[in-house]
Amino acid sequence: MIRKFVGAVTAALAVMAGLWLMLAPFALGTQPEDADWMNATQSEFFTGLGVAVVGVVAVIAFVSAIYEELVARGLVVPKPRRVEPEPEPVPVAAPQSSSAELATLLAPLVEALREDLNARNSGGEHRQNGKASLVGVEENR
């Protein structure tokens, strides 16, 4: 338990060291204002970023290990998860309409589509299946 606690504190110190490495070039004035980042600034910043990310991952790992240890010892009681009851399946009703009713409902739609196709075909420039090739249409443009 003590080793895990020391590891968490060390990881937190690594996060702070990484953040300092990221901020140091700007805080100490080694990076001129309104200028492109120098090689030293880039090196310190991205090294600090890497140290900080590794430190954050380590902190999360050590804290979760400490939590598991406390749960195993019985010092912490985890919150029980609420199990919501599964909803009852709704019975699917059998279709009430017959195919004749469906045909009467779809008849106006089919007629409208037929009229639309006929109007497009009489327009002239549109290609009809099997009557003109795409290459011929492109050459005419």
Side-chain angles (χ1 to χ4, degrees):
M1 181 74 173
I2 297 296
R3 289 183 182 175
K4 294 174 186 171
F5 182 74
V6 170
V9 170
T10 305
L13 289 174
V15 170
M16 289 191 288
L19 293 175
W20 172 248
L21 281 173
M22 291 171 65
L23 294 174
F26 307 103
L28 299 177
T30 57
Q31 172 62 38
E33 290 184 28
D34 299 330
D36 289 339
W37 284 13
M38 299 184 320
N39 289 337
T41 302
Q42 289 178 352
S43 176
E44 286 184 27
F45 182 84
F46 290 113
T47 301
L49 181 64
V51 170
V53 167
V54 169
V56 167
V57 170
V59 165
I60 292 170
F62 278 113
V63 168
S64 66
I66 291 171
Y67 179 76
E68 289 175 3
E69 178 78 23
L70 291 175
V71 168
R73 289 185 181 188
L75 299 174
V76 173
V77 179
K79 292 182 182 178
R81 294 183 179 174
R82 291 190 320 172
V83 178
E84 296 188 21
E86 294 182 15
E88 295 180 17
V90 177
V92 178
Q96 300 292 331
S97 62
S98 66
S99 61
E101 290 175 357
L102 184 60
T104 57
L105 286 173
L106 292 177
L109 176 63
V110 170
E111 188 60 34
L113 287 172
R114 184 177 299 139
E115 289 174 9
D116 185 43
L117 283 174
N118 289 335
R120 285 187 181 184
N121 289 340
S122 64
E125 283 189 27
H126 296 289
R127 173 182 169 265
Q128 296 178 3
N129 286 335
K131 291 193 177 180
S133 67
L134 287 175
V135 175
V137 172
E138 291 296 323
E139 289 174 354
N140 292 336
R141 288 188 180 176

